[in-house]
Amino acid sequence: MASAVFLLDLKGKPLIARDYRGDIPLTAIDRFMPLLQEREEEEGTGLPVMTENGVTYLHLREKDVYMVALTRKNTNAMTLLQFLHHLSKVFTEYFKTIEEESIRDNFVIIYELLDEMMDYGVPQITEPKILQEYITQESHMLEITPRPPMAVTNAVSWRSEGISYRKNEVFLDVVESINMLVNPTGNVLSSEIQGAIKMKVYLSGMPELRLGLNDKVMFESTGRSAKGKAVEMEDIRFHQCVRLSKFESNRTISFIPPDGEFELMTYRLNTQLKPLIWCESVVESHRGRVEYMVKAKAQFKHRSTANNVEIVVPVPNDADSPKFKSTIGSVKYAPERSAFVWKIKQFQGGKEALLRAHFGLPSIRDDDPEGRPPISVKFDIPYFTTSGIQVRYLKIVEKSGYQALPWVRYITKNGDYQLRMPEPLSGGGSRLPPI
């Protein structure tokens, strides 16, 4: 429960202030910036939650604007931080970008939004699409006072009634991001899968959707055996439309979806993975030059193809005179990133590719292991999931009985995907063939 919400500039000067409960003097915000600076000096970073003299400050920064909630109550901090994130999302929908100028230009509508999104310090309506139905940016006179949509007073606050489409369709994307750190010898130091199920819903009326996954816990709780692989998901987070009581009782994902695009759920899997794209590198350092050989291998099934592969290999800051030769794709030197970028439009599973690079080095240096950044890799592999998660069914039920088309797509992409480089070889003649 928030006592007040403030929008501040970078100096800590209030741009917007909304007092909800009157139990904290508005001058308490003057302590926010000094408190934040003290914490940054002590901890090395600004903490999102800080307390002083019985007042708790929770904040979120967007470009040159601080969004701050104040409370005296023993409040759930995550609830208020989540509210600030929703506030940021709503402002972005309305103003496209959150910065000091856009806040000053739209302060009237911001006060309207703050009044609708929170009442007596309790979060209320946070869905941008519902708010946009009755809080508009056009300032025009209406003969009839507009009534708020039924969704505001409805139990289903994220969807309006009376939605109609000529063609009823649902698009569901299972998107998995791979976070991975690999040492120079190919041993995986850490790996995890961050998954999300994203939907685009174009359905008429108030449909009820039921989604079935190959969830290991569900199969175990019901005593059924899974046909194929079952997946044990961790840290599951749902959109507010999902009926949590049904999920907790029988692991059924049942919901009335918002209209349009939204993220239904996220999950995580802590599992030992092998690198989907492995880059073996050799670095030779000589007086006045440095040479690289990078061998990339797609370590997934032949029938899958990685698209838009981008391998970023770091080089010394003062490297110059680049020369490249690769068996596939294109290579460019990016001096602003102190790296060269190898782009492969399509990389089929099981294939290998080779790159040779040569740079001049005007200065002599001692190699610093701490100062050797890793190779980073970007990619996306359609129709493929590393975890093996599968949509078993997606049922759509609406009282009018119309037929709807569900479309399901799987995508695996990189997250924080890094491969450490070996120590440079030095001295003697070059072991690598000339370019």
Side-chain angles (χ1 to χ4, degrees):
M1 189 179 286
S3 298
V5 171
F6 290 85
L7 302 183
L8 312 177
D9 63 16
L10 284 178
K11 295 178 181 177
K13 184 180 176 182
L15 304 170
I16 298 284
R18 179 68 176 89
D19 188 4
Y20 290 104
R21 296 177 55 81
D23 59 349
I24 295 178
L26 294 182
T27 52
I29 196 62
D30 297 339
R31 283 293 303 150
F32 169 72
M33 195 53 71
L35 201 59
L36 184 65
Q37 289 168 349
E38 286 172 21
R39 293 293 188 275
E40 284 179 346
E41 288 173 8
E42 292 172 8
E43 310 284 342
T45 182
L47 300 174
V49 182
M50 303 176 293
T51 304
E52 185 181 72
N53 298 329
V55 177
T56 302
Y57 301 81
L58 303 99
H59 81 278
L60 171 71
R61 180 174 171 178
E62 291 283 354
K63 292 188 178 177
D64 58 353
V65 175
Y66 285 101
M67 308 171 78
V68 188
L70 274 62
T71 181
R72 273 197 190 280
K73 301 282 182 182
N74 184 18
T75 307
N76 186 328
M78 286 307 299
T79 300
L80 286 185
L81 287 172
Q82 190 72 9
F83 173 77
L84 292 177
H85 277 285
H86 279 286
L87 194 62
S88 166
K89 194 163 79 172
V90 168
F91 287 173
T92 304
E93 284 286 328
Y94 271 86
F95 319 130
K96 304 304 176 193
T97 180
I98 302 174
E99 50 192 35
E100 185 179 336
E101 187 179 349
S102 65
I103 298 297
R104 291 186 187 279
D105 289 345
N106 296 283
F107 71 92
V108 174
I109 203 163
I110 286 172
Y111 275 113
E112 285 188 56
L113 289 168
L114 287 172
D115 284 343
E116 290 297 333
M117 293 179 68
M118 184 168 271
D119 185 26
Y120 199 59
V122 180
Q124 303 290 316
I125 306 148
T126 57
E127 282 294 320
K129 285 187 175 68
I130 301 299
L131 289 164
Q132 283 173 333
E133 287 187 29
Y134 66 105
I135 298 180
T136 59
Q137 285 170 285
E138 297 84 7
S139 55
H140 56 273
M141 296 294 291
L142 295 175
E143 293 179 9
I144 303 170
T145 305
R147 296 181 64 187
M150 285 295 291
V152 174
T153 54
N154 197 354
V156 185
S157 62
W158 52 87
R159 185 180 180 89
S160 296
E161 292 185 359
I163 296 171
S164 179
Y165 288 98
R166 182 177 294 178
K167 190 177 182 181
N168 293 288
E169 292 182 301
V170 177
F171 299 89
L172 186 147
D173 285 350
V174 179
V175 182
E176 291 191 339
S177 301
I178 309 298
N179 297 334
M180 181 172 285
L181 179 63
V182 187
N183 74 5
T185 60
N187 293 325
V188 177
L189 303 177
S190 66
S191 63
E192 70 169 6
I193 301 169
Q194 296 275 3
I197 295 181
K198 301 179 180 183
M199 298 188 74
K200 287 183 183 176
V201 175
Y202 306 108
L203 296 174
S204 306
M206 282 294 226
E208 173 93 23
L209 272 66
R210 285 195 289 277
L211 174 66
L213 303 172
N214 56 334
D215 180 7
K216 186 177 180 181
V217 177
M218 185 272 292
F219 285 120
E220 288 176 352
S221 63
T222 57
R224 288 186 287 168
S225 59
K227 292 179 181 178
K229 184 180 178 183
V231 176
E232 188 171 359
M233 296 177 286
E234 303 171 29
D235 294 344
I236 301 173
R237 288 179 58 220
F238 288 111
H239 187 275
Q240 62 176 327
C241 66
V242 176
R243 293 188 172 91
L244 294 179
S245 57
K246 281 196 173 184
F247 181 77
E248 287 166 2
S249 62
N250 57 18
R251 304 289 284 193
T252 300
I253 302 171
S254 175
F255 58 100
I256 296 173
D259 187 45
E261 194 171 344
F262 70 101
E263 189 173 78
L264 176 69
M265 64 178 282
T266 59
Y267 59 91
R268 183 176 63 85
L269 280 87
N270 246 336
T271 180
Q272 193 70 17
L273 303 170
K274 72 173 184 179
L276 293 176
I277 295 180
W278 164 238
C279 294
E280 185 182 348
S281 59
V282 177
V283 185
E284 282 194 0
S285 183
H286 304 274
R287 184 181 293 274
R289 75 181 195 276
V290 62
E291 298 178 16
Y292 296 82
M293 185 182 76
V294 181
K295 183 166 73 172
K297 184 176 181 181
Q299 299 188 135
F300 46 87
K301 292 179 181 177
H302 289 265
R303 64 172 180 265
S304 297
T305 302
N307 296 330
N308 305 314
V309 177
E310 193 174 290
I311 300 168
V312 181
V313 183
V315 298
N317 295 336
D318 56 352
D320 59 16
S321 309
K323 293 178 186 174
F324 303 110
K325 188 176 183 181
S326 64
T327 56
I328 188 173
S330 62
V331 192
K332 281 187 179 179
Y333 177 41
E336 72 283 355
R337 299 167 68 178
S338 297
F340 61 86
V341 182
W342 185 12
K343 292 184 178 180
I344 305 171
K345 196 163 185 65
Q346 291 190 317
F347 199 15
Q348 191 179 348
K351 298 288 186 182
E352 290 186 0
L354 198 64
L355 163 74
R356 290 272 289 104
H358 176 287
F359 289 88
L361 277 182
S363 60
I364 299 172
R365 70 189 65 231
D366 291 327
D367 183 59
D368 177 16
E370 297 296 323
R372 270 203 312 272
I375 295 172
S376 62
V377 185
K378 295 181 180 178
F379 58 87
D380 57 79
I381 309 172
Y383 319 113
F384 177 85
T385 58
T386 313
S387 67
I389 193 170
Q390 286 183 334
V391 175
R392 293 168 45 241
Y393 61 83
L394 179 59
K395 295 179 181 177
I396 303 161
V397 180
E398 213 277 333
K399 59 185 178 183
S400 63
Y402 61 70
Q403 293 295 312
L405 296 171
W407 304 91
V408 179
R409 182 173 61 168
Y410 301 92
I411 305 168
T412 294
K413 52 191 261 188
N414 66 287
D416 187 12
Y417 193 101
Q418 297 184 336
L419 313 170
R420 286 182 178 168
M421 297 183 70
E423 290 185 23
L425 304 171
S426 58
S430 176
R431 299 167 184 80
L432 300 178
I435 293 179

